[in-house]
């Protein structure tokens, strides 16, 4: 199962190397800060100093510097860009490109945008729709050539359409993709869609009536990728460049997978939650529409700015005002076309999680404001929330909300700073005080984070405590099985996976792991 719980006008340069001496001996230092105007330096400083403090039960609030927060979450590098009134106002980078390395992250260092690839893909698909290449509401199979979405009882009346694919209402499976090691065999797009080796995910299929329910599907965007390639008869990176990247002048963005050697030197390397670097530096994603974009926060900010300007009728470099309005209008629960939307606000954006990389785009179409954050770490999202809240306070985003005081954030910090026993005791106290009211299953979530960080003993304690309270949680038994497996406890792993499968016979991961361990499901 393993469900993840699961966002220029004339410029002045600051902190750059200046003019290099023409001796060949001096190498310009990486640019780690860009300011639209010198006065913005004070705003940057206030954002960095305004990070919300650690607030643990029974203790005084404790403020940490941004560097200390990065150390706490084992985040080697962070890159951000802030925009306001449809103008990029500053960009800043922190830390290093690779865990254990010394080369600093620069503002033009490439990061994997992961699922933020989806709204960028949507922009291209909608641009071509306006050119008459395809329709938003026709059966997508009419435009697919080498592969078709298999029809079944769910598609008898309602069909899979581009609109439904971009708004995650097409009824398609496969939430996301783990990618492939740089030295692993990689499947074709058709093999991904059919779940055929060397694909490492299940087939993409319709298992609910299209248009009836919102369910996130990276598999659906992979269908879009194939359709676009077949209709335009061009490689996906080329058509994306022609439709979005080139018109917006984005010089630090590409959908090329794998990343060409000439660009690899400019890229950050992924880092697991444990602080260990990803083998080969990153994974490769043939599912480019869903997860394949390499970019920078500044380039993603320019995409968000263009979307807001198009919606206001101030630009049509990619799509018209009418189409931009559709993109940012509710099409399903939580989604427009490509972008995630926030109810009761002009906020739009998306998050991204690839192997060793996290990213988040938050934007407001009414003010043309927002922030993009990218990290070479699986823990980036934990810091993004705090950083975005500080930016929001500095720029007065009245409709922005955060979850810094949520039970999950509190539990995560308790687990990191005080250990598993403190988390368990705090949660049991919360349960007792709640007097039967339902609480979020934060122990399971914290245990999963500990598992990802290779804190196996701590994860075991937390999962076992969770299962004492929620003995019917098949996911928790599945994750406990992984703890035992990683710790080399074969019999305990088998027992946990069998218990998970008994509670949830549809748990394909438990079946796979039992077979791997030589046990009958």
């Amino acid at each position: 199962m393993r469900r993840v719980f699961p966002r220029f006008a004339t410029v002045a340069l600051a902190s750059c190397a200046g003019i290099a001496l023409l001796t060949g001996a001096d190498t310009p230092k990486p640019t780690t800060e860009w300011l639209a105007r010198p006065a913005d330096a004070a705003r940057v400083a206030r954002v960095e100093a305004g990070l919300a403090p650690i607030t643990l039960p029974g203790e005084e609030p404790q403020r940490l510097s941004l560097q200390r927060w990065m150390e706490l979450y084992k985040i080697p590098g962070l890159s951000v860009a802030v925009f306001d009134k449809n103008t990029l106002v500053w960009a800043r980078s922190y830390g290093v490109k690779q865990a254990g390395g010394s080369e600093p992250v620069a503002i033009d260092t490439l990061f994997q945008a992961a699922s933020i690839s989806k709204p960028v893909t949507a922009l291209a698909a909608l641009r071509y729709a306006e050119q008459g290449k395809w329709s938003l509401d026709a059966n997508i199979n009419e435009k697919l050539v080498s592969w078709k979405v298999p029809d079944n009882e769910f598609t008898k009346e309602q069909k899979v359409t581009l609109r439904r694919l971009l708004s995650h209402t097409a009824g398609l499976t496969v939430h996301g993709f783990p990618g492939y090691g740089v030295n692993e065999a990689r499947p074709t797009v058709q093999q991904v869609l059919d779940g055929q080796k060397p694909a490492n995910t299940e087939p993409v299929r319709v298992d609910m009536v299209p248009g009836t329910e919102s369910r996130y599907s990276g598999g659906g965007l992979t269908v879009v990728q194939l359709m676009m390639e077949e209709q335009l008869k061009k490689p996906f990176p080329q058509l994306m460049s022609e439709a979005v990247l080139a018109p917006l002048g984005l010089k630090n963005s590409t959908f090329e997978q794998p990343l060409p050697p000439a660009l690899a030197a400019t890229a950050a390397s992924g880092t697991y939650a444990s602080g260990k670097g990803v083998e080969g530096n990153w994974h490769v994603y043939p599912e480019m529409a869903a997860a394949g974009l390499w970019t920078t926060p500044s380039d993603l900010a320019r995409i968000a700015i263009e979307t807001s300007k198009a919606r206001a009728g101030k630009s049509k470099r990619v799509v018209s005002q009418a189409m931009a309005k559709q993109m940012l209008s509710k099409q399903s629960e939580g989604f427009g076309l490509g972008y995630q939307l926030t109810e009761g606000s002009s906020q739009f954006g998306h998050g991204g999680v690839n192997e060793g990389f996290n990213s988040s785009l938050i934007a407001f179409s009414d003010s043309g404001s927002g922030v993009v954050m990218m990290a070479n770490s699986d823990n980036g999202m934990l810091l993004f929330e705090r950083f975005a809240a500080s930016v929001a306070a500095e720029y007065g985003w009245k409709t922005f909300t955060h979850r810094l005081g949520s039970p999950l954030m509190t539990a995560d910090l308790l687990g990191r700073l005080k250990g598993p026993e403190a988390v368990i005791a705090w949660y049991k106290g919360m349960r007792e005080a709640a007097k039967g009211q339902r609480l979020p299953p934060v122990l399971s979530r914290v245990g999963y984070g500990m598992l990802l960080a290779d804190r196996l003993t701590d994860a075991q304690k937390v999962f076992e405590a969770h299962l004492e309270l929620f003995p019917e949680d098949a996911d928790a038994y599945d994750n406990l099985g992984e703890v035992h497996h990683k710790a080399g406890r074969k019999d305990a792993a088998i027992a946990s996976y069998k218990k998970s499968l008994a509670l949830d016979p549809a748990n394909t991961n438990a079946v796979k792991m039992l077979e791997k361990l030589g046990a009958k499901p």
Side-chain angles (χ1 to χ4, degrees):
M1 251 178 218
R2 297 294 313 284
R3 294 169 188 159
V4 179
F5 298 104
R7 217 122 123 42
F8 289 89
T10 305
V11 302
L13 288 177
S15 300
C16 61
I19 301 175
L21 297 177
L22 301 178
T23 62
D26 294 324
T27 301
K29 294 180 181 179
T31 301
T32 59
E33 184 176 69
W34 175 92
L35 302 173
R37 55 184 183 173
D40 288 314
R43 307 198 81 165
V44 176
R46 286 196 294 269
V47 168
E48 293 171 348
L51 301 177
I54 295 173
T55 306
L56 297 180
E59 296 189 6
E60 290 295 318
Q62 178 185 356
R63 287 198 174 274
L64 300 182
S65 67
L66 178 57
Q67 183 59 42
R68 283 286 292 115
W69 279 110
M70 291 173 65
E71 291 170 0
L72 177 64
Y73 290 131
K74 299 182 179 180
I75 299 172
L78 172 70
S79 187
V80 301
V82 174
F83 49 104
D84 189 42
K85 299 177 182 177
N86 287 326
T87 301
L88 185 62
V89 290
W90 57 270
R92 188 82 162 84
S93 57
Y94 310 85
V96 293
K97 291 169 63 175
Q98 185 171 27
S102 59
E103 186 177 356
V105 175
I107 59 173
D108 60 356
T109 296
L110 299 183
F111 288 78
Q112 288 192 349
S115 287
I116 302 181
S117 305
K118 295 177 175 70
V120 182
T121 296
L123 272 169
L126 298 176
R127 176 185 176 94
Y128 289 120
E130 289 199 289
Q131 294 176 359
K133 302 295 185 182
W134 45 69
S135 165
L136 274 174
D137 298 304
N139 185 347
I140 199 72
N141 277 344
E142 295 174 4
K143 294 296 182 179
L144 288 165
V145 180
S146 64
W147 182 91
K148 304 283 186 180
V149 176
D151 281 316
N152 55 30
E153 66 272 22
F154 300 107
T155 61
K156 287 181 179 178
E157 296 184 5
Q158 297 298 321
K159 303 300 181 182
V160 174
T161 67
L162 181 58
R163 184 186 301 277
R164 288 168 174 170
L165 290 165
L166 297 180
S167 60
H168 299 280
T169 57
L172 285 169
T173 59
V174 184
H175 179 94
F177 301 100
Y180 299 82
V182 293
N183 295 318
E184 285 187 292
R186 294 185 293 274
T188 64
V189 176
Q190 291 90 336
Q191 286 174 322
V192 170
L193 293 171
D194 280 331
Q196 294 179 349
K197 292 187 180 301
N200 56 14
T201 47
E202 298 296 316
V204 177
R205 296 292 185 265
V206 179
D207 69 351
M208 62 176 64
V209 177
T212 61
E213 188 174 335
S214 177
R215 183 182 64 190
Y216 193 83
S217 172
L221 268 290
T222 308
V223 174
V224 175
Q225 176 180 330
L226 180 62
M227 184 275 290
M228 293 174 71
E229 288 182 318
E230 293 190 330
Q231 285 299 307
L232 299 175
K233 297 179 172 57
K234 295 177 181 179
F236 192 74
Q238 179 184 345
L239 66 88
M240 288 301 301
S241 178
E242 293 174 357
V244 179
L245 307 184
L248 298 185
L250 307 184
K251 301 184 183 302
N252 295 306
S253 299
T254 181
F255 274 85
E256 293 178 88
Q257 292 282 342
L259 191 65
L263 295 177
T266 68
S269 299
T271 312
Y272 291 115
S274 63
K276 179 182 178 182
V278 174
E279 184 177 354
N281 297 328
W282 47 71
H283 277 193
V284 180
Y285 293 82
E287 308 91 354
M288 292 174 273
L293 176 61
W294 283 93
T295 188
T296 65
S298 295
D299 273 6
L300 285 180
R302 293 179 179 106
I303 290 173
I305 289 169
E306 177 64 23
T307 304
S308 293
K309 290 175 70 175
R311 186 184 183 280
K314 297 178 180 179
S315 179
K316 51 182 179 181
R317 288 189 292 174
V318 180
V319 295
S320 69
Q321 182 180 23
M323 188 62 83
K325 285 183 175 180
Q326 286 198 65
M327 284 196 81
L328 299 184
S329 296
K330 183 177 179 180
Q331 304 285 330
S332 65
E333 190 65 35
F335 279 93
L337 294 175
Y339 285 113
Q340 291 177 311
L341 307 179
T342 299
E343 193 76 30
S345 168
S346 72
Q347 183 176 333
F348 68 95
H350 212 286
V353 177
N354 271 7
E355 197 87 351
F357 290 90
N358 280 184
S359 56
S360 178
L361 163 62
I362 300 168
F364 297 86
S365 61
D366 57 358
S367 62
S369 303
V371 60
V372 182
M373 301 159 288
M374 306 186 82
N376 55 344
S377 170
D378 282 338
N379 292 332
M381 290 293 183
L382 295 169
L383 181 55
F384 293 166
E385 192 97 6
R386 201 166 299 271
F387 196 95
S390 188
V391 175
E394 173 65 27
Y395 286 87
W397 299 344
K398 295 181 180 180
T399 59
F400 176 80
T401 59
H402 62 74
R403 298 164 293 174
L404 294 177
S406 70
L408 179 58
M409 295 294 283
T410 300
D412 176 80
L413 287 171
L414 274 171
R416 291 176 188 278
L417 297 170
K418 303 291 185 179
E421 292 83 2
V423 181
I424 294 166
W426 169 79
Y427 187 74
K428 287 183 176 179
M430 286 258 296
R431 259 177 75 89
E432 187 174 339
K435 297 180 179 179
Q437 292 182 349
R438 185 171 181 176
L439 294 176
V442 296
L443 287 183
S444 180
R445 304 273 294 273
V446 170
Y448 189 75
M450 291 173 169
L451 166 60
L452 292 178
D454 289 333
R455 295 169 55 188
L456 301 183
T457 300
D458 292 349
Q460 181 180 346
K461 290 178 182 178
V462 173
F463 278 129
E464 288 176 345
H466 170 81
L467 286 166
E468 287 179 11
L469 302 173
F470 303 97
E472 304 302 310
D473 189 341
D475 276 358
Y477 275 109
D478 187 274
N479 290 326
L480 182 59
E482 183 171 350
V483 171
H484 289 311
H485 180 237
K486 292 180 74 170
R489 296 186 289 268
K490 180 178 177 180
D491 291 343
I494 290 172
S496 292
Y497 283 124
K498 284 189 173 182
K499 181 66 174 178
S500 177
L501 193 59
L503 290 168
D504 179 10
N507 184 356
T508 57
N509 184 68
V511 172
K512 181 178 71 175
M513 290 305 301
L514 287 169
E515 292 174 347
K516 183 176 180 178
L517 291 166
K520 292 183 178 180

